[in-house]
Structure formats: structure tokens, C-alpha cells
Amino acid sequence: MNKSLERLLWSIALPGFGQLLNKRYIKGIVFIFLEVLINVQANFNSVIMYSFNGEIKRAFEEANYLWLMFYPCLYFFAMWDAYKDAGGGSAPFSYLPFVSCAYFVTVGLMLSAKIKVYGTILGPVWLPMVFVIPGIAFGLLVREILMHYYTE
């Protein structure tokens, strides 16, 4: 496995781990601190637990959206940063899928109480996760469009 992919995968596990592997210790500790702070303030572990157990109403009740809305940006920025520091993402505009995911997941979080998928409200964990797919697609599309004009 290449180094940048390994760092990316560790950052998916916990923001800051990829930075620690890249020997960016201060940055890694800051990301871990921010992840824990936002996680605790947002009650995110409880929200995840209730969502995985199908208790979506309880997940909504536990979620502190004012804190939880910080999480997607921190999460995707930490992934991008670890990936980039490990040598990945050197192509122009390669950050766009990460940025786009942060936006889309945040919107998915904000709309999670209103959007139904096949008549079911997925909640504050599952719907934002579903929004990763259009986030990546949109980021890749915008990147391709920009690359077309950038290389001319």
C-alpha cells in the first residue's frame, strides 16, 4: 500500500492519526484534540451508537448540531492534509473531492431530519454518509472541468 493511501485511511479512522504517521506531531495532536472536543460537545459517539442500533429518533435528540456541523470540515480537512503531506494529491485541484465532501456532508447533516430515502429518515449519521457519494462525484466533476480549462 502506498504511503499517502495509508495516511488517508488512518485519518478516516481518526483525524490526526495520519499526521502522527507523517511525523507532524503538533498538527496531529491538534487534530485529535479538536476531534475529541467536537465529538464530546456534539454527543457524536452517542449519536453514532443510536444510529447503528436503529434508534434514529434518539440520535436526533442527542445530537448537538451547533457542534456537530464542525465535524465534516475537520474530518475531511484532516484526511486531505495527511494525504497531501504523505505525497498524495500533487495533481492540480486534487483537493476538490475532499472539499466538496465536506460541503455535501454538512448539508446532509443539516437536512437529515427532512430528507427521506425510500420513505425512511436515515438520521444524522447515515444521511450525511450517503452525501459523501455525490460529494466525491461533484468534486471530481468540478476538478475535470477545471483541468480542461487549466491545461488549455
Side-chain angles (χ1 to χ4, degrees), residues 75-92:
Y75 192 68
F76 286 100
F77 181 74
M79 283 190 282
W80 162 250
D81 182 73
Y83 179 69
K84 178 181 57 81
D85 277 354
S90 58

Side-chain angles (χ1 to χ4, degrees), residues 63-120:
N64 180 337
Y65 284 88
L66 297 179
W67 278 95
L68 193 53
M69 286 176 48
F70 287 112
Y71 198 82
C73 291
L74 172 72
Y75 192 68
F76 286 100
F77 181 74
M79 283 190 282
W80 162 250
D81 182 73
Y83 179 69
K84 178 181 57 81
D85 277 354
S90 58
F93 309 113
S94 57
Y95 57 86
L96 283 173
F98 294 89
V99 172
S100 183
C101 276
Y103 293 145
F104 272 74
V105 170
T106 301
V107 170
L109 177 63
M110 290 187 296
L111 298 175
S112 63
K114 301 201 180 294
I115 293 180
K116 292 182 179 182
V117 177
Y118 298 111
T120 303

Side-chain angles (χ1 to χ4, degrees), residues 92-93 96 141-152:
F93 309 113
L96 283 173
L141 175 65
V142 171
R143 181 180 181 274
E144 286 303 312
I145 292 168
L146 290 174
M147 287 297 292
H148 175 73
Y149 291 105
Y150 182 71
T151 55
E152 285 185 352

Side-chain angles (χ1 to χ4, degrees), residues 119-142:
T120 303
I121 292 189
L122 299 179
V125 169
W126 298 115
L127 188 68
M129 287 173 70
V130 168
F131 271 54
V132 167
I133 297 165
I136 291 171
F138 184 78
L140 290 172
L141 175 65
V142 171

Side-chain angles (χ1 to χ4, degrees), residues 4-24:
S4 56
L5 180 59
E6 177 188 5
R7 298 329 192 247
L8 174 65
L9 292 174
W10 276 110
S11 286
I12 290 171
L14 187 79
F17 279 6
Q19 286 76 12
L20 294 178
L21 287 171
N22 286 333
K23 297 181 177 32
R24 308 282 189 179

